[in-house]
Amino acid sequence: MGLKVLTVDDSKTMRDMVSFTLKGAGHNVIEAADGCEALRVLGGDRVDLVITDVNMPNMDGLTLCKEIRSNPTHRLTPILVLTTESDGNKKNEGRSVGATGWIVKPFNPEKLLQVVNKVCP
Amino acid sequence: MESNSLVAQENMGVPAQDGQNSHNQSMDGTNTTAVENAGQQQFITFTVGDQEYGVDIMSVREIKGWVETTLLPNTPEYMRGVLNLRGVIVPIFDLRCRFGLGKTDATNLHVIVIIAVKNRMVGILVDTVSDILTVSNSDIRDVPKMETLIEEEYLSGLVTIEDRMVALLNQERLFDTKVIENGIAIGKIDET
Amino acid sequence: MSTNDFDLDQFKATYFEECAELLIDAETRLADLQHSPENVDAEDLNAIFRVVHSVKGGAGAFSFDQLVGFAHIYEALLDRMRQGEIQITEDIVTLLLSANDILTNLIQAAQNDITVPEEDFIDVKNKLNLLAFDQPVNSSTEEGETETTISEEKSTKKYIISFNPKPELLQHANEPLLLVREMKALGELTTIVNTDRLPSIQKIISDEAYFSWVFELVSDCSLTDVEEVFEFVTEDCDLDIKIEDETQKPEDVSSQPTSAPPIEDNSTKTLETTKKQAVEAMQAPTIPTPATVGKPTPTGNSQASQRVSSIRVELDRVDRLVNMVGELVITQAMLRQQVDNLPPELAAFMAKGFEDLGMHTREIQESVMAVRMQPVKSVFARIPRLVRELASKLGKKVELETSGEHTEVDKTVIEQLSDPLTHMIRNSLDHGIEETPEDRKKAGKPELATVTLSAEHRSGRIHIIVTDDGRGINRERVRAKAIEKGIINVDENLSDEAIDDLIFSPGFSTAEEVTDVSGRGVGMDVVRRNISNLGGRISVQSTPGKGTKFIMSLPLTLAVLDGMVVAIGKEKFIISLTAIIESLRPAKTELHNLSNGAEVVSLRGEYIRLVRLHRLFNIPGAQKDPSQALVVVVEIEGGKQVGILVDELLGQQQVVIKSLEENYDPVDGISAATILGNGMVALILDVDGLDAMARQASHKQNTDDEIDNQPDLLTTDTDEEKSTTTNQLANSRPEDQEALTNKATEEKTQRYEVME
C-alpha cells in the first residue's frame, strides 16, 4: 500500500532523489519546485505526506507549511521539512508553522524512508 | 538476378534482427577466429562482380535499390555522393571502386546496403544482395596473407559455403574515418 | 545499513547540470551586486543564498566533502548578509565573487573526481569564516555534522518514559500511536494509559490530546535511540525519560535532545505584525534590523505574480520536434512542387489549401524554433569571472560592461558562442588594453579600462560586439610581423582595414608570442574559421590610441536557413541568402584577368574576385563563360565581396540544415547539406571556404600572393584603363610583371577561357 507523497524542492537533483527513493519503496510521488507550485499541485486533493525543502524561491518551505496547515483538508497531513540546518532554529521554526518533523540533509535514502515510516501509519 | 528478389522495389528493412540473434548461443569456447564469444554469426551477403562479400547482419540497417545521389566535390572516386535516408544524410561508397576494380555503372538494379559503422551510417553500393548466411565461428577462416591485394586488411575472414567463397568485410576498417581521409588524400594525389 | 540498492551516482548528471545553471544565476546576481553595492536587491542575496544552499544539499548527498565544507561557510556568510547582520561593502562583494569562483572550481573538481589543494582557497575560506562565524579558523559549527555518538555500552536497560502530549502534537499531524509502534520496535514495551483527562464523549474535540502514557521499555538500545523516537514531538509534549537499574546518568531529558546550540542566540526575533513582514520573517527567521538589506521584498506575493510558468524539457525532445518539423517543411515543399505539375483546374483547386498549409507549416516551424531560443545571458554570465581572472593575472584594471544579454538566439548558436567569445575577450584584455594602469594614465585615460560586451539583433542575425578602450591595433607592428611571417610582401601597400584584418590570417599569431592569457595556441585565424563554420563572420575595427572593436555576426539559428538554390551543370547548391548581395550577368568588358591568376569582375568601380565553382568542384557541363552565366556576389568574412560563378538561379527557399559530418567528414567549400523538395540532397556552400579554396588554387599557380591587394589597386585606375587588357594593368606593377613572365603560358590559357 503506497502512500501518496508530495515532494517540494527547487533542486531537481533533490526531487529526483527523494522521488526515486520513495517510488522504490512503493509510494506514489508528485513533485513541485517551490511552495507556490506545491499549493497549486495540491489543490483540494489529499496526500498522505508532504516533504518540503525550506529554502526555495517564490514560496519557501515554512510558508508552505503554514499554508497547508491552514487548509482544513490538509490540517492533519504530516509534513516533513528537509533541512541542512541541524541547529534548533530551523526545527523550531518548522514546528511553529506546523511541520510534523524534519529530515536533516545530507540526503540519505534510508534515513528518508525511516522518517517517512515514523510519521505515516 | 535471382537474388534480387531480396530487394523490394523500394526500401526494405531487415526484419527480426533480434530473433536471429538468438542463434548466437555460444557453442564452444575454444574458437580462436576473428570473431569470438559467439558460436554462430549471421551475415548478409552480396555480390560485386564474381566475388561474394558478407557483412554482419547486426550492422545492416536497411537495403534499398540504387537512387541518384548528390556528389560531394573533391572526394575520392569510390565516394559516390550522399543520399537522403528519411532526413539523414548518408554517404554512399562504391565497393567495387573501393577495391580498385573501377567505378560501378549504377542502374536501378544495383543495391545499396546501409550499414552502421561505429556511430555513423554509410551505404555501400553493390551489384546484388544474395543471401542471409548463418555461419559457425569455426567455419570462418583467416584471410591468407596475399601480398598483392590490399583487400586483406579490409576483410575479417573468409567462409566457404558449398563451392562459393564469401569474403567477410571488416567495415570498421573499410570505412574508418582515417581510411576515408587517406582515401581522400590518395584521391587528390591521383588527380594531379 | 547499506545503500547498495540505491545508486546515487545516477543523479550526479542532474546535479552537475543543475549546478551549472545555479552558478550562472549566482554569477549574474553577483554582477548586479558588484554594480550597485549600495542599493542591494534583497532577492539577489536570497537567490545567491539558495544557490549555495542547493549546491551544498546535493554535495552532501554525494559526499563531496570538500564542496560541502566550503559551501557551508559561504552559505553561512550569505545567511548573515541576507539577514542584514553584515553590511555589504565593495570588499565583501569582491570576497563573494572569489567565493563563487572557488565554489565553481570545487564543483568542477567534484565532477572530475579530484580534490582541490586546500591552500588554493584557504585565504578566502578563512575570510569567509571570520565573517560568517566571527572566528578565523575552522572552529566553526559542526562542519559535516560529526555526530558525537557517545558509544554507550550495549546493556539491557529499563527506560521509564512518561509521555504527556499537548494538543500541538496532534495539530502537527504527529500520531502518538506511531510513537508507540516505534518504541515497540526497540524492545519490550509495557504501557500504562492515563485517561483521567478524557472528558465525556460529547465534549471531545478531535484535535485535543486527552491521554497520557507511562511506558516501560526494556531494551538494549541507547538513550539516544529512545530520544529519537520523540525527536519530532519533544516540544509538543511533556516527556520524561528515566533509566532504571542503571548508574549511568539518569538525567532528565525533557528538553531539546540532540543538536548543537543555535549559532546566533543573541539575535532575538522581533516578529512584525503585518502580514508581509510575517512572510518575510518566515523566510529569514532572525531579523534584527533589515536596514542594510534595503527594502525587504515580500518574497511570497510579488515574486509569485512575476513568475513565468515554465517547464523543463529535455533537449532531445525539442530536437526531435525540430527535426520532424524540418521534415514537414520538406514534405510540404515536395507536395507543392507536385501541385505545379497538376492540370491547371486541379492545381487552382489545391492552391488555396497549399497556401494555408504552407503558412501553418511555417508558423509551426517558427514556434518550434522559438522554443529553442535562449537569451545569450547564459554565455555572458561567464564573462565577468573571466575578466576578473584575466585582469588580476595581467595586473590590469578592467571593468566589464555588458548589454543586450537578453538578446535571444537559438540553442545551437549559444553552444557555439562561448569559445570565440572567450577568445575575443582574452584578446581584448591581453592585447587591447595597455600594459599597466600607468600607461593608461600617461595616455590621458582613466586607469580603469573598460571592456564592453554587447549583443543585438541586426537584420536577422545576432551581433556580438566586444569593445575595449585600449591602445588599438599597432598597425606598424602587425604589418612588420605579417611580413616576417611571410603573410604579406615587404612592399605591399595595404589599407588600414586590411592591416587590421591581418590578425585573422592563418599563421599570424604563433606559439612564441602566445602569452599565458591569450595562449592555448589558438590564433584569431582559428576563431574566424570556427565562426565562419557557423555561418558567421568576425571583423575588427580599430582606432589607434582609442581602442578596438570586434564584431561577431552570427545567424540566429543553425537549424534553418533562407537559401538561394543555384544550378551549376547538373548540380544544385544552396547559397545562404544573408550572404548574397546581388547577382548579375557581367558584360565581357567587365571581366578582367589579373596577372596572378585571379579573375575579377568590375562592378560600379569595385573589383570583385570571381570564384569559379565548376573548377573548384570539378563539375562537368557548367557554363564557363561568365558573360553567359551568372555571378552571385556574396559577402565573405571581413566584409569583402567575391562573385561566385553559377549557371542559373533556381529560386529562393527556406532549407533545413542537415549535418554532413554526422556520417561523413567535412568537405571543403561545403558547410552543410539540406534536402530539396524532390527528396534529393543539396549541398550548402561555405562561401568563406570557397574563397579560401580559390585563393589556394591561384596560389598554386602563383607564389606571388597579391590577391587581397589587387582590387584596392585597381580602383585607382580610370575607366578606360579598366577596360584595357590585363597586360597593361600588370605592367603597372613590377611584381605583376614578374608574375606574368613566371606563369605566362598558364595564365594565357586561362585568360582566353574568360575573355574569348
Side-chain angles (χ1 to χ4, degrees), chain A residues 10-17 20-21 34 36-37 40 53 55-60 62-63 66-67 69 75-80 84-93 95-111 114-115 117-121, chain C residues 1-3 6 8 10-11 14-15 18 49-50 53-54 56-58 60-62 75 82 142 145 170-174 178 181-182 206-207 228-236 256 258-264 269 275 278-279 281-283 285-286 299-300 303-304 307 312:
Chain A
D10 57 332
S11 157
K12 181 169 190 306
T13 316
M14 209 50 80
R15 285 201 307 273
D16 279 0
M17 291 197 292
F20 184 85
T21 310
D34 61 48
C36 292
E37 196 184 332
R40 209 162 49 231
D53 189 24
N55 288 291
M56 293 181 294
N58 301 322
M59 185 192 286
D60 63 83
L62 298 179
T63 314
K66 233 166 108 175
E67 292 285 333
R69 277 284 170 267
R75 205 165 45 106
L76 294 177
T77 306
I79 305 174
L80 290 172
T84 36
E85 282 81 355
S86 53
D87 63 283
N89 262 4
K90 272 286 179 306
K91 289 176 187 169
N92 285 330
E93 288 297 328
R95 202 169 334 201
S96 71
V97 292
T100 307
W102 53 87
I103 301 166
V104 178
K105 294 189 211 172
F107 175 82
N108 172 326
E110 245 171 78
K111 175 86 179 158
Q114 210 179 322
V115 177
N117 250 334
K118 194 182 174 93
V119 296
C120 285
Chain C
M1 270 313 281
S2 78
T3 52
F6 185 89
L8 278 176
Q10 60 184 306
F11 300 109
T14 314
Y15 172 69
E18 195 169 13
F49 172 83
R50 281 195 305 268
H53 180 79
S54 290
K56 178 178 138 185
F62 301 120
E75 179 192 26
R82 68 183 188 145
E142 59 292 30
E145 264 145 54
L170 295 176
Q171 282 156 19
H172 291 164
N174 273 301
L178 292 174
R181 185 178 75 183
E182 215 174 319
S206 64
D207 287 358
E228 252 175 26
V229 172
F230 298 94
E231 188 186 3
F232 297 155
V233 297
T234 41
E235 294 286 292
D236 300 335
Q256 294 253 8
T258 48
S259 84
I263 302 170
E264 304 106 7
K269 333 171 186 175
K275 174 142 203 263
V279 171
M282 297 302 30
Q283 231 237 337
T286 48
T299 347
Q303 289 294 319
R307 188 182 145 89
R312 193 189 273 259

Side-chain angles (χ1 to χ4, degrees), chain C residues 360-378:
Chain C
H360 295 153
T361 312
R362 183 109 193 172
E363 213 158 281
I364 292 179
Q365 188 172 28
E366 273 165 18
S367 318
V368 171
M369 295 316 293
V371 171
R372 297 209 306 191
M373 293 293 262
Q374 289 188 332
V376 291
K377 196 170 150 192
S378 60

Side-chain angles (χ1 to χ4, degrees), chain C residues 193-214:
Chain C
V193 190
N194 183 347
T195 54
D196 291 353
R197 280 192 289 151
L198 191 67
S200 66
I201 197 145
Q202 296 91 338
K203 290 186 185 164
I204 288 180
I205 303 164
S206 64
D207 287 358
E208 273 289 343
Y210 298 111
F211 298 100
S212 62
W213 287 267
V214 175

Side-chain angles (χ1 to χ4, degrees), chain C residues 357-541:
Chain C
L357 180 63
M359 216 166 68
H360 295 153
T361 312
R362 183 109 193 172
E363 213 158 281
I364 292 179
Q365 188 172 28
E366 273 165 18
S367 318
V368 171
M369 295 316 293
V371 171
R372 297 209 306 191
M373 293 293 262
Q374 289 188 332
V376 291
K377 196 170 150 192
S378 60
V379 181
F380 277 23
R382 296 181 206 132
I383 303 301
R385 178 179 180 204
L386 177 72
V387 170
R388 273 197 313 278
E389 284 180 354
L390 291 183
S392 78
K393 211 179 260 177
L394 294 164
K396 298 179 181 181
K397 284 190 181 170
V398 184
E399 184 186 45
L400 177 75
E401 277 175 13
T402 52
S403 66
E405 53 264 77
H406 295 293
T407 312
E408 287 195 334
V409 64
D410 190 84
K411 169 103 183 141
T412 48
V413 179
I414 292 263
E415 286 161 0
Q416 306 291 334
L417 213 53
S418 185
D419 280 355
L421 186 58
T422 305
H423 208 86
M424 281 154 74
I425 295 279
R426 279 168 186 270
N427 194 82
S428 281
L429 262 84
D430 198 13
H431 303 305
I433 310 279
E434 290 82 353
E435 287 309 321
T436 61
E438 289 71 46
D439 288 349
R440 288 183 59 87
K441 246 185 181 166
K442 270 183 229 156
K445 295 184 193 175
E447 282 188 20
L448 185 65
T450 308
V451 170
T452 317
L453 171 61
S454 68
E456 63 187 33
H457 281 154
R458 195 178 284 175
S459 55
R461 295 173 76 86
I462 185 171
H463 280 206
I464 308 241
I465 301 160
V466 176
T467 318
D468 66 62
D469 63 349
R471 58 199 160 189
I473 291 178
N474 183 337
R475 297 202 174 108
E476 258 168 55
R477 253 183 55 195
V478 167
R479 209 189 124 86
K481 201 170 140 199
I483 291 168
E484 180 199 321
K485 305 269 178 197
I487 297 166
I488 56 167
N489 278 330
V490 183
D491 44 8
E492 208 157 320
N493 193 5
L494 295 180
S495 67
D496 287 350
E497 291 73 30
I499 293 175
D500 292 348
D501 203 56
L502 285 172
I503 63 168
F504 296 112
S505 306
F508 182 79
S509 62
T510 56
E512 57 172 311
E513 68 110 34
V514 162
T515 63
D516 185 30
V517 173
S518 282
R520 305 199 175 173
V522 177
M524 290 303 276
D525 59 322
V526 177
V527 175
R528 172 173 277 184
R529 185 91 210 123
N530 291 343
I531 291 173
S532 79
N533 282 345
L534 300 175
R537 290 188 286 272
I538 182 170
S539 59
V540 63
Q541 293 168 7

